[in-house]
Amino acid sequence: MSEYILEVKDLHTSFFTDSGEVKAVNGVSFKLEAGKTLGIVGESGSGKSVTAYSIMQILADTGKITGGEVLYKGEDITKWNKKQMQGFRGKKCSIIFQDPMTSLNPVFTIGNQLMEAILLHTDRNKEQAKERAIEMLTLVGVNEPEKRLKQYPHELSGGMRQRVMIAMALACEPDILIADEPTTALDVTIQAQILELMQELQKKLGMAIIIVTHDLGVIADMCDEIIVMYGGRVCERGTADDIFYHPCHEYTKGLLRSIPSTSRMKERLVPIGGTPINLLNMPKGCAFCARCDKAMKICLDTVPQEMRVGDTHLASCWMNVKAQYEAENGGIRNEQ
Amino acid sequence: MSSNDKNECLVEVKDLKQYFPIKTGFGKTVPLKAVDGVSFSIKPGETLGLVGESGCGKTTVGRSLLQLYKPTGGEVYFKGEKVTDQNIKALRKEMQMVFQDPYSSLNPRMTVEDIIGEPLDVHKLYSTKAERREKILELMELVGLNAEHATRYAHEFSGGQRQRIGIARALAVNPSFIVCDEPVSALDVSIQAQVINMFEDLQEKLGVAYLFIAHDLLVVRHISDRIAVMYLGKIVEIADADELNENPMHPYTESLLSAIPMPDPNLAKTRKRIILEGDVPSPMNLPSGCAFRTRCRYATEQCAKECPSLTDRGNGHFVSCFNK
């Protein structure tokens, strides 16, 4: 058995739409250690959520994993059948979604939905499941859990609903929790509560967490490793310090320049030019080259490979190759 | 602009109240106090940021100010003139709005030319067709849209470009004040910066004042000269942007600032988050006294009995709290 609880190797996922194949994920790889937190950050359409859904195999009907492996404790789960996957979802790996308003069923009570997950995945009987549900609600800080069990989702606030979602996800003690934009729909003070709760629960229960988000602030103090995605590919990966203090991919650099930060509050923001790429019409080379002001000839026609730029830090950008070449040869290679 | 003009207020809001009647049963209605006695002023060319969590009434303040809702109470003055039902149509030439959602705030059946031209039509700001078109193209250039986009429909544009169309429409009548209601929150991070820079450029070029409503505190801090913090229909603190961030006095502002996710790992590790307990109370059933006392760590008996009012703590820093 490998030391990693989850390994994603060269994952490709496409959606087959009327207007053609949309390659949402183009060769994403990462490894997740037990008990650690991985952050996946990117803009809308970067393939971050689709990566998460591919792991769970909960893609829309048009979506399909077209290549690569997802190894859970060394076993490739993309080859598993429906029944096996049902045992995986919820029990081994759970997901919480962005919008706590729509991801709970409005016509069933909280208790009904929480107990469904418990009854499905464990040997507990109804009485024990109810006890477990109350225990979980207490754990995630929902007050009066017994009363909540009888309530419907619309009777709870957004923050409370997200707590219920977390309780549901963790009820069967999964090894992995995937949080897809867990706090985007919530207010700042409630967001802080939920992030704090997730960290606390991780300490208590020891599950690994994958946080998928577009908010660089959310991942800064949560993650052991961060992956930056653009156009369905990984541009850069490393620790929070690597990514925030020594970004080595032009996209990451641009992203960090375009958000206001406390140290340079009154300075003008430097936006990334252009618009996000159209996944129906992917460029031959680097996905970011059309918006990159440092783009070279090679960027247009060859996809850059991941290159090590530090002990924990990898980036796929030709600029690093160029910098390395210059360092080694003390000059700039002539453009052919 | 003379120094005399600078001291004068462009927009002054006095004790603005906006209640919405909510039906709770047969023939019963309860007022929802969305905005409950809000006062502030904005100088020409200034940006006032308005922050708060969802449901605190910040959008309602913007809309009531422009009389998109009929305020329940209070007055709005524009250049010293009281805004009323009679003069609002003329005053909208001076006061405009940019909406949050660039997808639903543009009519899908109108071309960009007609969308931007509509305010010109309403206020009859041209004499010939050619002049109208010229003005529209000028506006499009101002917000960074190409002339060939004029005949297209809104759905053909990305979110960032749609927001530019919305801004061009607001600028069409050459206003001196724009209410920007969460203008960048629907946009991607890399596009947000483009639009924020544009707001700053336009202010420099045209001297327009903004009421910038947003929940993203980093963005508000970046763009604003002064910031007002709202909680449950009331302004709890108002101060210069830097002053507010360095020296927050109201316990709500304190915790709000500490809860912003910082894109800076070292800072995130060292600072202390003040986690508020519980949820925001329902605006239909407000706590007595200070609305924040149910989540406040400094709350005393006095807070339950009386409602604190905004008091001056020097340097234009106003706070409504008994204990701070």
Side-chain angles (χ1 to χ4, degrees):
Chain A
M1 210 169 75
S2 76
E3 56 178 310
Y4 296 107
I5 193 141
L6 188 78
E7 258 185 89
V8 174
K9 285 186 181 165
D10 198 29
L11 181 75
H12 285 78
T13 302
S14 288
F15 290 91
F16 296 91
T17 64
D18 291 342
S19 26
E21 183 183 352
V22 178
K23 291 181 180 165
V25 177
N26 294 299
V28 166
S29 308
F30 60 83
K31 293 169 179 169
L32 181 66
E33 273 178 69
K36 295 277 171 143
T37 307
L38 172 81
I40 304 180
V41 66
E43 291 178 83
S44 39
S46 63
K48 55 190 192 308
S49 290
V50 178
T51 305
Y53 295 173
S54 301
I55 295 169
M56 297 290 278
Q57 295 183 33
I58 47 170
L59 295 162
D61 289 344
T62 49
K64 206 173 164 253
I65 298 175
T66 52
E69 293 177 331
V70 179
L71 304 177
Y72 170 73
K73 291 185 175 169
E75 261 189 86
D76 185 5
I77 62 168
T78 57
K79 307 235 162 31
W80 282 9
N81 62 29
K82 220 173 156 186
K83 189 105 195 265
Q84 282 173 303
M85 274 317 289
Q86 266 171 14
F88 177 75
R89 288 185 211 118
K91 193 152 196 260
K92 310 265 173 27
C93 179
S94 292
I95 188 164
I96 47 177
F97 298 97
Q98 170 173 359
D99 190 355
M101 310 285 167
T102 52
S103 43
L104 286 168
N105 191 329
V107 299
F108 290 106
T109 60
I110 300 295
N112 201 316
Q113 296 183 59
L114 250 172
M115 279 156 64
E116 184 189 3
I118 299 166
L119 289 170
L120 195 68
H121 292 295
T122 62
D123 307 327
R124 290 185 173 91
N125 63 30
K126 247 185 149 174
E127 201 54 41
Q128 288 164 323
K130 193 177 167 191
E131 262 170 47
R132 176 76 183 155
I134 292 171
E135 193 189 318
M136 285 315 293
L137 286 179
T138 319
L139 186 68
V140 297
V142 173
N143 55 355
E144 301 175 81
E146 273 164 72
K147 189 178 138 203
R148 303 290 176 195
L149 286 181
K150 295 193 193 94
Q151 286 184 323
Y152 288 88
H154 75 264
E155 295 174 77
L156 305 183
S157 67
M160 275 299 158
R161 275 181 243 185
Q162 200 58 298
R163 281 170 198 266
V164 170
M165 283 297 294
I166 295 174
M168 201 183 290
L170 297 180
C172 303
E173 295 172 5
D175 301 321
I176 307 160
L177 174 69
I178 301 177
D180 182 17
E181 305 262 11
T183 56
T184 308
L186 306 175
D187 278 317
V188 190
T189 57
I190 308 295
Q191 168 171 294
Q193 288 176 358
I194 297 289
L195 293 178
E196 189 101 341
L197 174 72
M198 282 171 61
Q199 277 174 316
E200 222 172 83
L201 291 174
Q202 186 177 33
K203 263 185 219 145
K204 244 184 243 173
L205 310 174
M207 74 275 184
I209 298 180
I210 300 178
I211 298 182
V212 177
T213 183
H214 70 274
D215 190 335
L216 288 159
V218 168
I219 57 165
D221 68 334
M222 289 280 290
C223 299
D224 298 298
E225 197 190 3
I226 293 169
I227 290 179
V228 183
M229 283 186 72
Y230 187 82
R233 296 198 189 103
V234 175
C235 334
E236 187 165 3
R237 67 180 79 214
T239 62
D241 284 1
D242 289 337
I243 301 289
F244 285 94
Y245 299 131
H246 310 286
C248 282
H249 192 287
E250 289 305 314
Y251 174 63
T252 319
K253 287 183 198 170
L255 213 52
L256 289 170
R257 275 195 301 258
S258 65
I259 50 172
S261 90
T262 38
S263 52
R264 35 183 184 82
M265 211 61 221
K266 288 295 157 211
E267 276 174 42
R268 202 175 151 79
L269 302 176
V270 185
I272 302 178
T275 49
I277 55 162
N278 179 359
L279 290 170
L280 270 170
N281 188 13
M282 287 276 288
K284 208 167 122 216
C286 173
F288 185 61
C289 69
R291 301 174 74 187
C292 180
D293 49 11
K294 294 225 170 73
M296 301 176 287
K297 213 172 175 184
I298 190 167
C299 305
L300 293 173
D301 41 47
T302 318
V303 178
Q305 295 301 308
E306 272 200 323
M307 191 181 137
R308 191 163 286 281
V309 287
D311 290 343
T312 50
H313 193 180
L314 289 109
S316 8
C317 178
W318 287 115
M319 287 302 290
N320 297 316
V321 181
K322 188 179 161 202
Q324 197 190 33
Y325 186 88
E326 281 171 19
E328 281 169 10
N329 296 291
I332 300 166
R333 187 174 50 167
N334 286 330
E335 291 270 329
Q336 289 120 9
Chain B
M1 195 177 293
S2 70
S3 60
N4 192 22
D5 280 344
K6 272 243 155 174
N7 295 329
E8 236 169 59
C9 291
L10 182 73
V11 178
E12 210 176 350
V13 175
K14 280 186 186 162
D15 201 26
L16 189 69
K17 283 182 182 147
Q18 184 73 61
Y19 300 167
F20 296 108
I22 302 290
K23 286 200 177 87
T24 53
F26 288 105
K28 268 197 263 176
T29 52
V30 171
L32 185 153
K33 297 180 178 178
V35 176
D36 198 12
V38 161
S39 307
F40 59 85
S41 61
I42 300 172
K43 295 189 194 88
E46 185 191 39
T47 304
L48 176 71
L50 188 58
V51 295
E53 296 180 273
S54 47
C56 73
K58 53 191 192 303
T59 295
T60 310
V61 166
R63 291 180 172 233
S64 306
L65 199 162
L66 294 181
Q67 314 281 310
L68 292 176
Y69 300 134
K70 186 154 176 43
T72 315
E75 289 121 39
V76 179
Y77 293 90
F78 182 80
K79 284 185 180 163
E81 184 185 354
K82 192 179 168 190
V83 177
T84 59
D85 278 353
Q86 285 76 43
N87 64 8
I88 184 62
K89 195 177 164 189
L91 279 177
R92 286 225 176 96
K93 223 175 99 184
E94 294 284 342
M95 302 194 284
Q96 280 290 319
M97 186 155 186
V98 174
F99 296 91
Q100 169 172 11
D101 186 358
Y103 292 85
S104 56
S105 60
L106 302 176
N107 189 337
R109 302 175 76 165
M110 281 163 81
T111 61
V112 171
E113 189 175 351
D114 288 333
I115 291 172
I116 301 175
E118 200 177 12
L120 298 175
D121 301 339
V122 170
H123 293 284
K124 302 191 177 58
L125 293 175
Y126 57 88
S127 42
T128 61
K129 271 257 159 77
E131 195 188 335
R132 177 178 187 264
R133 188 162 167 84
E134 195 185 316
K135 275 198 169 153
I136 290 167
L137 292 180
E138 225 170 76
L139 285 161
M140 288 178 68
E141 200 193 319
L142 193 65
V143 297
L145 291 167
N146 291 332
E148 69 237 39
H149 291 154
T151 51
R152 295 199 194 163
Y153 290 89
H155 73 262
E156 297 173 67
F157 294 91
S158 66
Q161 281 174 311
R162 283 182 214 208
Q163 204 54 293
R164 285 169 198 266
I165 300 171
I167 295 165
R169 174 176 62 184
L171 289 173
V173 292
N174 203 7
S176 47
F177 174 61
I178 299 179
V179 175
C180 311
D181 184 13
E182 305 252 12
V184 295
S185 53
L187 307 175
D188 261 321
V189 192
S190 66
I191 306 299
Q192 273 191 12
Q194 294 176 8
V195 177
I196 292 168
N197 279 350
M198 195 175 67
F199 273 114
E200 288 176 337
D201 290 344
L202 290 171
Q203 186 164 51
E204 210 166 282
K205 229 184 270 175
L206 310 171
V208 47
Y210 298 129
L211 175 66
F212 198 93
I213 303 168
H215 66 269
D216 186 334
L217 288 127
L218 282 175
V219 168
V220 171
R221 190 176 159 188
H222 175 80
I223 201 167
S224 307
D225 299 313
R226 285 188 304 139
I227 298 176
V229 181
M230 274 187 86
Y231 187 77
L232 283 174
K234 286 195 171 72
I235 290 180
V236 295
E237 185 160 5
I238 184 163
D240 184 76
D242 292 334
E243 163 76 11
L244 186 90
N245 278 280
E246 276 150 31
N247 184 21
M249 285 191 192
H250 197 279
Y252 178 64
T253 317
E254 224 181 349
S255 61
L256 197 63
L257 290 173
S258 83
I260 316 173
M262 282 288 176
D264 188 339
N266 284 347
L267 199 69
K269 268 176 223 143
T270 50
R271 71 177 178 153
K272 208 173 149 17
R273 268 198 213 142
I274 304 165
I275 306 278
L276 287 180
E277 288 190 8
D279 280 315
V280 185
S282 158
M284 284 166 67
N285 189 13
L286 290 174
S288 63
C290 172
F292 185 61
R293 72 179 167 86
T294 53
R295 300 170 82 194
C296 182
R297 31 185 206 144
Y298 307 105
T300 59
E301 270 176 38
Q302 190 190 8
C303 304
K305 283 182 200 139
E306 300 168 56
C307 185
S309 56
L310 276 176
T311 50
D312 194 351
R313 310 290 165 98
N315 284 334
H317 195 149
F318 290 82
V319 184
S320 70
C321 183
F322 293 124
N323 306 313
K324 278 282 184 168

